[in-house]
Amino acid sequence: MVTKQEHQERKDKALKLTVLGCWAPYPHAGGACSSYLLQAAGLNILIEAGSGSLSKLMNIIDFRCLDGVIISHLHHDHYSDLFVLRYAIEGDRRGGGRKEPLPLFVPGVPRVPYEQLAGYSRAFITTPIESLPHQSPGRDFAIHTLNIGGLEFRFAPTKHPMPGYSIAVGQPGGLVFSGDTAPTKVLAYLAQKAALFLCEASGLDKDAEAVREAHLTAGQAGTLAREAGVGRLLLTHFWPGYDPHLLGQQAEKTFGGPVELAREGETYLVRK
Ligand SMILES: [Zn+2]
Ligand SMILES: [Zn+2]
């Protein structure tokens, strides 16, 4: 007899993350902006859909196999391919393909891009993350929760020029994705003991002032990951003008151990 908890643990152990795009805010030659394919519990969930990511996705699975899309915030390097995914889904549905539009979860603000996406109702069933149920583990922030086919997601607010979310997948100790954010105690809380911490590293040490209030330097990502006690740190969201290995070296100094660099097409297994 498999208990409910054992069943959940098995599901969490099977989390698979494939990097589709790791560049920001524009793609490297032949690359794509932020996008990750999450496969678990028989589901295919697209997290972020930056420029070029639909093409990368189609190298791995057909877009018709998607079960849902989650976008951390409405900067174009994180969602611009939704506009062509929309055409793909509408065409598929006209041809007798998927019966229902694809579930899409995005921040409800800014209102203008949110309303635009919500208007594509033949392609997407759009839900603002703010409308999801929430818990309040701390006095000054709320964690929104979502369940897609038995897979749990938790959303914590980021510190960025526009509202957005860091995203945890599975039970605590699973996968955590930073989204775009400056260092926050909220992210440190969400990332506690994560088996795999996919964290943005938008700048080198010398950029600390330039990215302040908006992003993490690689060194800051390493510090945050060490303090949160994560198992593996996987850096992403690379400026195309930088050598990611340099970012990795700076993150390793503060993390105190080996750091991995997101590579497009590479799959990472999330094991507790
Ligand atoms: Zn952003
Ligand atoms: Zn970004």
Side-chain angles (χ1 to χ4, degrees), residues 118-211:
Y120 301 144
S121 56
R122 282 178 297 167
F124 305 121
I125 302 170
T126 306
T127 303
I129 292 169
E130 294 80 2
S131 73
L132 298 170
H134 68 275
Q135 347 162 317
S136 297
R139 271 182 312 168
D140 47 1
F141 64 90
I143 304 275
H144 291 275
T145 58
L146 169 68
N147 186 309
I148 304 179
L151 191 61
E152 301 278 348
F153 295 85
R154 288 172 294 136
F155 300 88
T158 54
K159 186 175 183 183
H160 199 53
M162 72 162 60
Y165 295 93
S166 301
I167 304 166
V169 186
Q171 295 295 301
L175 167 68
V176 174
F177 168 49
S178 66
D180 280 11
T181 186
T184 65
K185 63 179 183 180
V186 187
L187 181 55
Y189 166 83
L190 196 72
Q192 280 298 313
K193 308 287 181 213
L196 181 66
F197 181 35
L198 175 65
C199 188
E200 72 128 300
S202 300
L204 294 163
D205 292 343
K206 68 179 179 62
D207 302 314
E209 188 55 31
V211 303

Side-chain angles (χ1 to χ4, degrees), residues 23-25 34 48 73 75 77-78 160 179-180 200 202 215 237:
W23 302 101
S34 303
E48 316 283 56
H73 68 296
H75 271 153
D77 53 319
H78 295 254
H160 199 53
D180 280 11
E200 72 128 300
S202 300
H215 290 288
H237 203 268

